Amino acid sequence: MLEQVKYYEDYQIGEGRETVGRTITETDFVVHAGHSGDFFPHHLDAEFCKTLSFGQRIAHGTMVFTIGVGLTATIINPVAFSYGYDRLRFVAPVFIGDTIKSRVEITAKEEMPKRPGFDRVTERLTVTKQGGETALVADHIYMVEMRG
């Protein structure tokens, strides 16, 4: 991981980066079910899933979100703090064997009058599958220290 100090004024709308890929495994499904308590048959029952339109188990949306965000966590900015996520959407299913990667792009900068010394930066997270199909989108909001 790389530490990079980046103040509010340093962010530019449109700047972004793409991560490496990560293949989703059976173990991911089982571990996430145990952590989340989500044992729905859509994720864990292969025979049940054969009766559905997808024909196979579907990854937990929260797992795709977690892994997608984790892929972006390669740069640590000690003057930026996660303020939360908005507009989270599960656009397409992810299956065992799919490889996902994430792209982040700065989409907005806004004042935070109630937080002196900080303003808000919004970063659009897009998680795609190996063929380029979008699987997930969300807006990650950061509270970022202003210079001086």
Side-chain angles (χ1 to χ4, degrees), residues 64-80:
V64 175
F65 174 68
T66 300
I67 293 171
V69 168
L71 287 170
T72 71
T74 56
I75 298 173
I76 305 299
N77 183 358
V79 297

Side-chain angles (χ1 to χ4, degrees), residues 46-104:
E47 293 304 311
F48 170 78
C49 289
K50 288 178 183 176
T51 69
L52 303 177
S53 60
F54 296 126
Q56 59 184 309
R57 289 173 286 168
I58 303 165
H60 301 76
T62 52
M63 181 185 76
V64 175
F65 174 68
T66 300
I67 293 171
V69 168
L71 287 170
T72 71
T74 56
I75 298 173
I76 305 299
N77 183 358
V79 297
F81 309 93
S82 183
Y83 195 67
Y85 291 86
D86 280 344
R87 302 171 51 124
L88 171 62
R89 297 290 180 267
F90 306 123
V91 180
V94 173
F95 306 109
I96 293 170
D98 279 342
T99 298
I100 62 171
K101 61 182 167 183
S102 297
R103 172 153 180 73
V104 290

Side-chain angles (χ1 to χ4, degrees), residues 105-108 110 120-124 139-142:
E105 180 181 337
I106 304 303
T107 58
E110 303 167 275
R120 208 163 44 189
V121 173
T122 301
E123 178 180 77
R124 169 71 45 90
D139 288 340
H140 188 185
I141 303 164
Y142 290 96

Side-chain angles (χ1 to χ4, degrees), residues 8 78-81 110-121 142-147:
Y8 175 80
V79 297
F81 309 93
E110 303 167 275
E111 293 183 1
M112 291 185 75
K114 293 182 181 180
R115 301 273 187 177
F118 290 88
D119 277 335
R120 208 163 44 189
V121 173
Y142 290 96
M143 186 171 72
V144 183
E145 210 174 299
M146 297 173 70
R147 187 175 271 106

Side-chain angles (χ1 to χ4, degrees), residues 18 43 45 79 136 142:
E18 189 170 277
H43 311 303
D45 186 335
V79 297
L136 180 147
Y142 290 96

Side-chain angles (χ1 to χ4, degrees), residues 3-46:
E3 182 174 298
Q4 180 182 52
V5 176
K6 192 170 186 177
Y7 292 95
Y8 175 80
E9 294 84 356
D10 300 328
Y11 285 89
Q12 300 296 318
I13 292 177
E15 73 180 75
R17 59 190 171 91
E18 189 170 277
T19 71
V20 298
R22 162 93 154 61
T23 302
I24 302 302
T25 67
E26 167 107 17
T27 301
D28 293 323
F29 276 49
V30 173
V31 169
H32 188 79
H35 286 162
S36 66
D38 181 349
F39 294 97
F40 274 36
H42 304 78
H43 311 303
L44 299 176
D45 186 335

